[in-house]
Amino acid sequence: MSTTKTIQSALISVFSKDGLEPIVRKLHEQNVTLYSTGGTEDFIKNLGIPVVPVEDITSFPEILGGRVKTLHPKIFGGILNRQDNESDVAQMKEFDIPQIDLVIVDLYPFEKTVASGASEQDIIEKIDIGGISLIRAGAKNFKDTVIVASVNEYSLLLDLITEQNGATTLENRRLFATKAFHVSSHYDGAIFNYFNTDETIYKESIAGGQVLRYGENPHQKGFFFGDFDAMFKKVHGKELSYNNLLDVDAAVNLINEFKTDGPTFAILKHNNACGLASRKTISEAYLAALACDPTSAFGGVLISNTKIDLATAQEINKLFCEVVIAPSYDDDATAVLQEKKNRIILVQNEVELPSRQVRTCLNGLLIQDRNNITDTKEHLKTVTTKEPTAQEVEDLIFASKICKNTKSNTIVFAKDGTLISSGTGQTSRVDALIQAVDKAKAFGFDLTGASMASDAFFPFPDCVELAKKAGITAVIQPGGSIKDELSINYCNENNLAMVFTGTRHFKH
């Protein structure tokens, strides 16, 4: 039997009618018999095109307020029959079941209804039963049946039946079936997640993956699954790479810590801040951030918590950087930044980030709640005799925000709303501190009077001892070591202020 089949009959039962009219007209032009239900039937009639009500096949009306329309053996027999199976062919004749070659379905908008904040009753009514059954039936029998399971596939179907004069190949039907099973599994996943309260069960379905140039390295394939356009408006530049996206993610998480602060600018490289400063103007903040480590800033990702003006753009334009992100730009600032053709310019939209973070691990996944705790003055507990000054408290909070978003083990030095230096991703906290001290010296920074943040507690007093020798006068850490007193005692004996937050901020 030929695997190419010409559509002679179609069942159409859809929620969205957008884009449906040209399909219906083309099918009618090709002498296809149309079957339909409810609102779709009325839509087709209003086009002046003949349509057979499903009730004429089933001899049974819609019931239960439209909850049951197509659920009938004569409908599903018409879809599921195997045309090369003698028994199926005989039963089709015996029970007078019409052949259905094409099924077009668009499901009730369950996810949109949930997102709208509708009542549970309205949400439950948007759980499609007949539609999802039609999709599975048509997809299962793809050898004989074409299934179009979403308004997103309307244009593909129209092109196909136009170019091939109503005929489809097995490959065509398998493609539609694949898309249909995606629709049904995604839909069921959304319904499950609405009901699910068991945190040990995880289901996720994301459509529209973006193929990247490559992954972390050129020999690795890379993909991004997510709604990038919801988070950003891309104004200019080349396509973002895998590594760009990781840096953009790190930049967004970091700048969110300073969302309600004064003008703040951050420069990141390889997911870590190499410069960050808060000032009266964003231009001043940028220049102070750049001065933290102008070497690492080369090729970095830049992000602002406020509008970028012309003065700031002119300074940025002197630096080679991959990405610039801000909530908005002055028009003349955008024009300046666009002078570098490959520079990526993003406008960051207000979008809520996922409440959980997911990453692959071994042969499975690790899932955790997002670290939504930002240390504030209210969290601080002074554990030393010496109280930090008001400026030191500001710098301690400032340093803690950066530390939270830097790879462990990490130490961060800050002074007067400026990142002085940091030690990142070290195997020991002492190494991280030494790295931070050396880096500060390399760029000519005086650590006298600076504040220090650590992402975890000090099990020994060696870190505070090294910090004191470098000029540090105040320390913020979570506390919690059984040997906390050793560090506290050293601070008391050497006129250091130290505060505990009670919250560890590891970032692996």
Side-chain angles (χ1 to χ4, degrees):
M1 181 178 289
S2 172
T3 60
T4 298
K5 296 180 179 294
T6 299
I7 297 170
Q8 299 181 44
S9 59
L11 170 63
I12 308 175
S13 181
V14 301
F15 179 84
S16 176
K17 315 299 188 296
D18 294 342
L20 184 62
E21 180 178 347
I23 293 175
V24 172
R25 292 194 182 282
K26 177 57 67 174
L27 292 173
H28 175 59
E29 177 186 313
Q30 295 173 345
N31 297 315
V32 174
T33 301
L34 303 180
Y35 303 102
S36 193
T37 63
T40 309
E41 179 188 338
D42 292 338
F43 175 84
I44 296 171
K45 285 180 179 176
N46 290 335
L47 295 177
I49 293 174
V51 57
V52 179
V54 163
E55 302 95 280
D56 288 2
I57 302 173
T58 63
S59 300
F60 211 95
E62 291 184 15
I63 61 172
L64 308 181
R67 279 188 164 196
V68 180
K69 304 184 187 78
T70 57
L71 297 170
H72 193 281
K74 282 199 171 183
I75 299 301
F76 282 85
I79 298 169
L80 283 164
N81 73 92
R82 294 157 291 188
Q83 295 178 21
D84 59 353
N85 182 290
E86 291 184 6
S87 177
D88 285 8
V89 172
Q91 287 190 325
M92 292 284 285
K93 291 180 179 178
E94 178 183 358
F95 297 109
D96 192 25
I97 299 174
Q99 178 69 44
I100 298 175
D101 303 315
L102 166 66
V103 179
I104 305 177
V105 179
D106 185 64
L107 299 170
Y108 294 154
F110 179 83
E111 288 179 280
K112 287 184 179 178
T113 305
V114 172
S116 73
S119 68
E120 179 157 281
Q121 180 178 350
D122 288 340
I123 290 170
I124 297 303
E125 287 306 312
K126 288 299 185 290
I127 298 176
D128 207 311
I129 303 300
I132 206 78
S133 301
L134 291 170
I135 288 172
R136 291 179 63 84
K140 177 177 180 176
N141 201 35
F142 69 90
K143 287 187 176 181
D144 294 313
T145 308
V146 182
I147 174 64
V148 176
S150 166
V151 64
N152 297 325
E153 313 307 333
Y154 287 2
S155 60
L156 176 61
L157 174 68
L158 180 60
D159 290 344
L160 192 68
I161 60 176
T162 301
E163 294 169 6
Q164 298 178 185
N165 196 30
T168 64
T169 66
L170 182 60
E171 290 73 18
N172 296 151
R173 297 190 295 277
R174 179 183 282 274
L175 174 62
F176 278 115
T178 303
K179 292 177 178 292
F181 281 126
H182 162 66
V183 170
S184 65
S185 63
H186 180 87
Y187 195 78
D188 285 340
I191 295 170
F192 169 79
N193 286 330
Y194 173 75
F195 283 100
N196 183 42
T197 58
D198 186 347
E199 293 185 342
T200 66
I201 302 175
Y202 177 77
K203 292 183 186 294
E204 188 67 70
S205 175
I206 305 174
Q210 177 185 346
V211 180
L212 304 174
R213 293 198 303 274
Y214 50 81
E216 204 162 8
N217 298 289
H219 63 277
Q220 296 170 269
K221 290 183 179 179
F223 307 87
F224 173 71
F225 290 88
D227 191 351
F228 185 85
D229 292 338
M231 282 207 65
F232 302 101
K233 176 185 176 183
K234 184 181 171 190
V235 176
H236 179 74
K238 63 183 179 181
E239 293 302 313
L240 280 91
S241 69
Y242 183 97
N243 292 332
N244 287 155
L245 289 168
L246 287 175
D247 283 331
V248 168
D249 176 70
V252 167
N253 287 319
L254 176 59
I255 209 67
N256 279 349
E257 305 285 348
F258 300 89
K259 184 181 293 185
T260 59
D261 293 6
T264 301
F265 207 103
I267 305 172
L268 292 90
K269 195 73 170 290
H270 301 304
N271 305 167
N272 292 315
C274 59
L276 195 150
S278 296
R279 292 291 188 273
K280 291 182 179 180
T281 69
I282 198 61
S283 178
E284 292 173 331
Y286 168 71
L287 290 172
L290 179 63
C292 295
D293 184 351
T295 302
S296 295
F298 183 85
V301 169
L302 282 57
I303 189 165
S304 168
N305 73 342
T306 191
K307 178 187 284 187
I308 290 180
D309 56 19
L310 176 60
T312 309
Q314 288 172 331
E315 291 297 334
I316 292 172
N317 210 35
K318 299 174 184 177
L319 175 74
F320 167 72
C321 59
E322 291 275 356
V323 185
V324 182
I325 310 167
S328 61
Y329 303 79
D330 284 334
D331 290 343
D332 49 5
T334 302
V336 169
L337 293 174
Q338 288 178 327
E339 290 177 5
K340 303 289 173 39
K341 69 174 184 178
N342 287 328
R343 179 184 287 146
I344 300 163
I345 305 173
L346 301 176
V347 176
Q348 183 180 350
N349 301 321
E350 281 287 338
V351 174
E352 185 177 353
L353 295 172
S355 61
R356 289 189 171 183
Q357 296 173 311
V358 183
R359 66 196 296 184
T360 59
C361 181
L362 302 176
N363 61 348
L365 301 175
L366 280 175
I367 301 174
Q368 67 172 352
D369 293 337
R370 180 176 291 278
N371 184 356
N372 284 326
I373 295 178
T374 297
D375 296 330
T376 65
K377 294 177 183 178
E378 291 70 31
H379 294 132
L380 305 187
K381 176 184 177 183
T382 303
V383 294
T384 51
T385 304
K386 181 184 178 183
E387 294 271 350
T389 66
Q391 182 58 56
E392 285 173 337
V393 169
E394 294 295 330
D395 286 338
L396 289 171
I397 295 298
F398 181 90
S400 173
K401 291 177 178 180
I402 300 171
C403 195
K404 170 187 168 183
N405 290 277
T406 306
K407 293 289 186 180
S408 300
N409 287 318
T410 184
I411 293 290
V412 171
F413 295 148
K415 186 178 181 180
D416 298 329
T418 306
L419 169 63
I420 302 299
S421 66
S422 61
T424 65
Q426 299 303 302
T427 52
S428 84
R429 202 157 303 281
V430 171
D431 286 346
L433 198 154
I434 292 171
Q435 183 190 59
V437 171
D438 289 345
K439 192 168 184 180
K441 290 179 180 178
F443 287 102
F445 288 108
D446 182 5
L447 289 174
T448 303
S451 294
M452 178 176 83
S454 172
D455 60 337
F457 60 63
F458 302 129
F460 303 103
D462 45 7
C463 281
V464 287
E465 183 177 351
L466 289 168
K468 169 65 179 177
K469 291 178 180 178
I472 300 299
T473 56
V475 179
I476 185 171
Q477 59 137 318
S481 169
I482 59 174
K483 296 182 179 181
D484 275 341
E485 288 302 319
L486 295 177
S487 295
I488 295 171
N489 290 340
Y490 180 88
C491 290
N492 285 334
E493 293 166 4
N494 292 275
N495 200 34
L496 277 170
M498 185 159 65
V499 299
F500 284 3
T501 65
T503 303
R504 189 182 75 182
H505 289 298
F506 271 164
K507 187 171 185 288
H508 285 84

